Structure formats: C-alpha cells, structure tokens
Amino acid sequence: MSEDVINANPTVIDVSDLPTRLITKPKKNEFLEDISSLSLSEPELSDMETDEDNEDIDAQEIFDLLATMSDPEHPLTLAQLAIVNLPDIHVKNIENGLSEVLIKITPTITHCSLATLIGLGIRVRLERCLPPRFRIRIFLKEGTHQSENQVNKQLNDKERVAAACENEQLLSVISQMLSTCK
Amino acid sequence: MVKLIKSIQAHKDKAWSVSSHANLPLLATASTDKTSNVYNLSKKKNFPLITKLEDTHKRSIRTVAFKPPLGGEDTPDTEFIDLPALATGSFDSTVSIWGVDEPEEDFDEDDEDEQGKLDKQVQLLTSPQNEWNLMAIIEGHENEIKAVAWNYQGNLLATCSRDKTIWIWETDPETLEEFECISVLSEHDQDIKNVTWHPTQNLLASSSYDDTIRLYKQDEADDDWSSVGVLNGHEGTVWCSSFEHPKSLSASQEKIRIVSCSDDSTVRVWCCKTKKLTEEDYEKSKALPSSIKHSSTMTWEEETVLPKIHEYSVYSVSWSRKTGKIVSGGSDGKIVVYKQSPDSEKWEIESVQELSHGVTEINCVSWCRLDDGEEVIVSAGDDGNINIWEP
C-alpha cells in the first residue's frame, strides 16, 4: 500500500460491539492463503455446509464470513470499519432451489477508490465459501459513493470478475485481505 | 419440454462457449481451464471427444467459433475439400486458429456414388485420428477477447475485447495463413461482449457493456467499415445477439431481424425493414453514382420483448435457422425456448427447463445439428459440462 492513505482517519467500531453468534475463541494464527486456492470455480464447502446441503444460511452467517476480512489500507476489519453491516445483508431462497445473497457495502468515504477492490474481495470470499446455488449480488449502499453505478455494474459482471481473478497482482492483494478471515 | 440426451463432463472449470460446424457434426467448446475440446455430434457414437486443443492460451478461453465451409454454408464449394478449422479467443488477449491436416486417405480413390463419397468425407473429417494444428495466433487487442465470429464466407473474422474495439481480420479461407486487420471499430463506450455476423450477408452486430447493440457494414464506395445502426432499449449489459436466418420458417423477405439478451433479464427482438427493389428501382439505382446508391444507415426498431421469464442476467441467445425458434439461457440456469405463432405473430414460451446445469449458471446456448440431421440445443455451464437437449 502507498503511504498516501485515502481515508486517513476512519471511524472504528469496537469489536465487542459487532453483531455475532460466534462464541469468542482465542485468535488463531492465520497463514496467508495460497493463491492457487483462490480459484473461483471450485467453491470450497465451508464447515457449516456438510451433508445438509440445503441447511439455511442466514445473514448473520454471511456477516461472519466477511466481518473479519481486512481493509486493503487499514489494519482493521471490514466490520470494524462498518463497511459490511448486518442490516445490509439479505438472504433469500428462490423457488427453483437457488438462493440469493444481496449485500450493500458502505465505503468509508464517497470517493474511495478502493470500493471496487473491497467489493471484489467480498465476492471472492463468498464464491469460495458459499455453495454454488447462491447468486451473489454486491452493491454499494445508495448515496455512499460518487461512482456508485459504475462500481455496481463492474462488481456484478461475471465476465469482468472472472477476468480480474486471473490477475495475479490483484489476487495477491485479495489474498492479503482474506488472510485475517476466521 | 426439452429432454436431456447427453451430459458431457467436458471441463474442470467453467465452460464459456460452444460452436458447431455448419455442415460437419463437430462441436467445439471453450473453458476457463484454458482448453478447448472438439466432439463428434453423433448420438449413435455417444458424442466422443475428437481432440483437445491445449497449451496455447495463458488464460481462460472465452469464445470459440468454427469457420463456415468454403463458399458458405448454403453454396459450399465442392471443388476443394473443406478442412474444418476454428478460432478461439482468450482473456490473454490473443486469438488462435486451429485446423486439421488433410487426411492421408485419398477421397476420390473408390468409385462410390456421390452420397457414398460424401459420407466417407464426413467420416474422415470428423475422425479422432486427425491431427489438429495451431495454424496462427492473432495479436492486436489490448486485453481480454470476449468473442470471435466468422462471416458467412469465412474470409472475415471479427474479434471484440474489453478494450472497446472490434477488429475485422481478412484471410484466405482456404489456407488461413495470414490475418490482415482491415478495420478497427471503436463505436462502443465500454467493453464489447459479443460479435455476430448475419448468416447470409456481411452485416455485423456487436453487443456491449454500454447497454447497446451496434450494426456495421462495409461501404460499397470506399470499402470502409462503419456503424449503420444502434439499438437502444436494454437496461443493462447486452451479452449476446443472434440474427434470424432468411431461410428459417419465421423469416420474412421484407425484414432483417436480430434477437438480443441482457443483464436486464430480458430477451428482445429488433427488426429492420428492407425495401425490396422493384425492377424500376433497380434501373434507377443503376443510374446513380455509386456514392449515393448505397444508403449507409439502416432503420432499426424494437419489435418486441419476448415473454419475461428469466430471473437474472441472460447470457446467451440463439435463433434456429431451421425452425425459427429462439432459445435463451443465463444465470438462473433456465433454458427457455420461444416460438412465434404463425397467425398472430406473437411470441410465446414453448418450454422452460429449470436447473439445466444443476445449480450453476448457463453461459451459452446454441442450436446445433447432429450427424443424423436432428436439431438439438447445446448448453455450456459453470459446472464445466456440455449438455445436449432434444427440443
């Protein structure tokens, strides 16, 4: 990261004030994940998805998957910076067996040039953790960014995301963001 | 209802695109796993793999297209043996051209009847014994290639990219040795998702992230390619478009039609009225200097929005040259077949197949012909599978 921080003084939420269902565990040492494991197409089934493929996944679980991701420029998590917020996550089941998760992210400042990167990181995290029946839709919260539509369109363009995920440089940044995930 | 007749586990990663040969039972695929497979479209033989094209592209292969036969699909040139060839386009920004060597066996050796000779030719050209060679690599685009398409005669190849340009390459369809860029079209404001040619004339359509479709023609006077129409109406990225074949059941001589599909989850039909030249018009036009004879713009309008049924982005659409039916597929995993009522001209949904690739997305649907002449729908999905459906 460059020394010119885009938002030098963000508001930080105390971790103990974040919504949770997880029992607090002592923090494990997390290793940087192997880039090759970032492949989008073979989503790893996360712990909660075992035999019961259709076990409901709710907003809190999605929040937990994202809350501990790191911000690309601060040594803080997306939840601490209130970029990802529980009330802005919506999960629904669609009649034919598909599910949808809709997330609205709140960039820390309206001209945040890292909004696309954060959104992409969230998409990679969810595509790796959620079963393939999920359709993931990521938007910037209305009025939180000056190029909202542009960023939204990019984040939800399957082909652009697929191409971006073949960019080694970008992948290593995302992998840094994911290295703090629990 | 469409009926699944074969599911091929073709790739280890996303299957993006399929293309079938116009008059040989061959199907080619494109995948994130950087390979492209060629299959024999034969139910009797259980759709065997003929070859795997690999070790060439450094990133995902996004698109594949078979070259039309020499002389065009409808008037094939029988003087030469038309060897199958195809183009693949990759996120690595290059296009590669592949083809088979002429089989060693002599075609004219035996004195069978015409049909016998033809059958033997098909058998030889679709044999897994054939060597598929990399014939050319085309470089020029700045970044990811999204689509490649051959014109009906196979002498022009259009390629489009995230760099917002379309390049038209000219080649000798018999040797495919050199590809010369004859035009760079940069009318779109954003990346171009797809290019497609009209099946019987040199009219090109492009679909874009800027929510529009554009049409291009070559000016008769100076040979330059230019935009002759823009279709506004979609409220999201246009992913794909497909022309109606003038010989299909639904086609009318008085209009050219194209179908498109979009992120806005709709499928739309657009039309351009073409005035048929009467004898008198023709005489008049002959008298005019060539610069004004060719009217450069076409007037296109949205004819209809097909019945809305898709939940999310519709990634692919294909118009059958045989029946005039349209098929669409996309993120919601549905394969939808639409048909136009001959009386009311209204489009209705003929069938909907849910979860065509399990819970994964469909990237491509295409009408293809099997070796026995039967028309099928071939779909490619994020599960890496190629599914073949009886309509």
Side-chain angles (χ1 to χ4, degrees), chain A residues 30-50:
Chain A
E30 297 276 344
F31 294 97
L32 201 74
E33 292 181 58
D34 188 4
I35 292 172
S36 62
S37 72
L38 271 170
S39 163
L40 274 182
S41 60
E42 288 172 298
E44 302 164 8
L45 293 186
S46 60
D47 304 340
M48 64 219 167
E49 279 294 307
T50 48

Side-chain angles (χ1 to χ4, degrees), chain B residues 329-361:
Chain B
S331 172
D332 60 8
K334 286 177 189 156
I335 290 180
V336 183
V337 178
Y338 313 82
K339 66 162 188 242
Q340 188 172 26
S341 149
D343 313 318
S344 66
E345 299 211 331
K346 257 184 87 155
W347 286 89
E348 46 200 56
I349 290 172
E350 184 182 76
S351 72
V352 181
Q353 172 67 43
E354 300 270 357
L355 302 175
S356 313
H357 283 258
V359 293
T360 68
E361 300 187 328

Side-chain angles (χ1 to χ4, degrees), chain B residues 124-362:
Chain B
L124 278 173
L125 293 175
T126 59
S127 157
Q129 257 78 56
N130 291 337
E131 214 35 75
W132 282 75
N133 297 316
L134 179 61
M135 302 169 76
I137 291 184
I138 307 175
E139 290 173 347
H141 280 290
E142 268 170 47
N143 38 43
E144 299 100 80
I145 308 274
K146 305 289 180 85
V148 293
W150 300 87
N151 71 332
Y152 72 109
Q153 293 163 314
N155 66 322
L156 298 175
L157 179 71
T159 59
C160 67
S161 159
R162 186 162 66 85
D163 67 15
K164 305 173 192 171
T165 63
I166 297 165
W167 295 41
I168 298 177
W169 310 83
E170 191 170 38
T171 188
D172 173 352
E174 216 191 305
T175 60
L176 300 177
E177 264 165 5
E178 269 171 54
F179 285 80
E180 188 199 346
C181 178
I182 56 163
S183 184
V184 174
L185 301 164
S186 36
E187 305 278 340
H188 283 292
D189 301 330
Q190 297 289 339
D191 38 328
I192 302 160
K193 297 297 195 184
N194 184 263
V195 276
T196 190
W197 290 94
H198 189 277
T200 59
Q201 56 167 295
N202 282 333
L203 172 65
L204 180 72
S206 60
S207 310
S208 167
Y209 190 85
D210 70 11
D211 304 354
T212 69
I213 298 149
R214 280 184 178 273
L215 293 125
Y216 313 85
K217 261 187 172 177
Q218 194 168 23
D219 194 285
E220 279 174 15
D222 59 8
D223 281 0
D224 272 352
W225 286 82
S226 59
S227 176
V228 291
V230 51
L231 314 185
N232 283 298
H234 277 298
E235 287 160 9
T237 298
V238 188
W239 283 99
C240 179
S241 67
S242 174
F243 279 102
E244 178 177 41
H245 197 289
K247 284 190 180 159
S248 87
L249 285 176
S250 59
S252 135
Q253 294 305 308
E254 276 114 53
K255 55 188 180 183
I256 301 173
R257 293 198 292 180
I258 190 166
V259 61
S260 62
C261 62
S262 158
D263 246 2
D264 68 10
S265 78
T266 65
V267 179
R268 291 168 202 246
V269 174
W270 312 78
C271 91
C272 170
K273 302 233 160 59
T274 52
K275 208 176 122 218
K276 246 179 137 182
L277 287 181
T278 60
E279 201 79 2
E280 194 188 339
D281 287 338
Y282 182 71
E283 286 305 317
K284 252 194 262 168
S285 82
K286 264 213 310 207
L288 290 169
S290 66
S291 55
I292 33 176
K293 192 161 73 184
H294 180 73
S295 113
S296 61
T297 52
M298 302 172 84
T299 311
W300 284 83
E301 53 188 52
E302 186 179 299
E303 189 172 88
T304 186
V305 180
L306 296 193
K308 203 173 164 303
I309 184 152
H310 284 290
E311 195 91 26
Y312 295 111
S313 300
V314 189
Y315 292 129
S316 182
V317 67
S318 175
W319 204 324
S320 163
R321 79 159 276 179
K322 191 176 168 187
T323 60
K325 291 177 188 174
I326 289 173
V327 62
S328 66
S331 172
D332 60 8
K334 286 177 189 156
I335 290 180
V336 183
V337 178
Y338 313 82
K339 66 162 188 242
Q340 188 172 26
S341 149
D343 313 318
S344 66
E345 299 211 331
K346 257 184 87 155
W347 286 89
E348 46 200 56
I349 290 172
E350 184 182 76
S351 72
V352 181
Q353 172 67 43
E354 300 270 357
L355 302 175
S356 313
H357 283 258
V359 293
T360 68
E361 300 187 328
I362 299 175

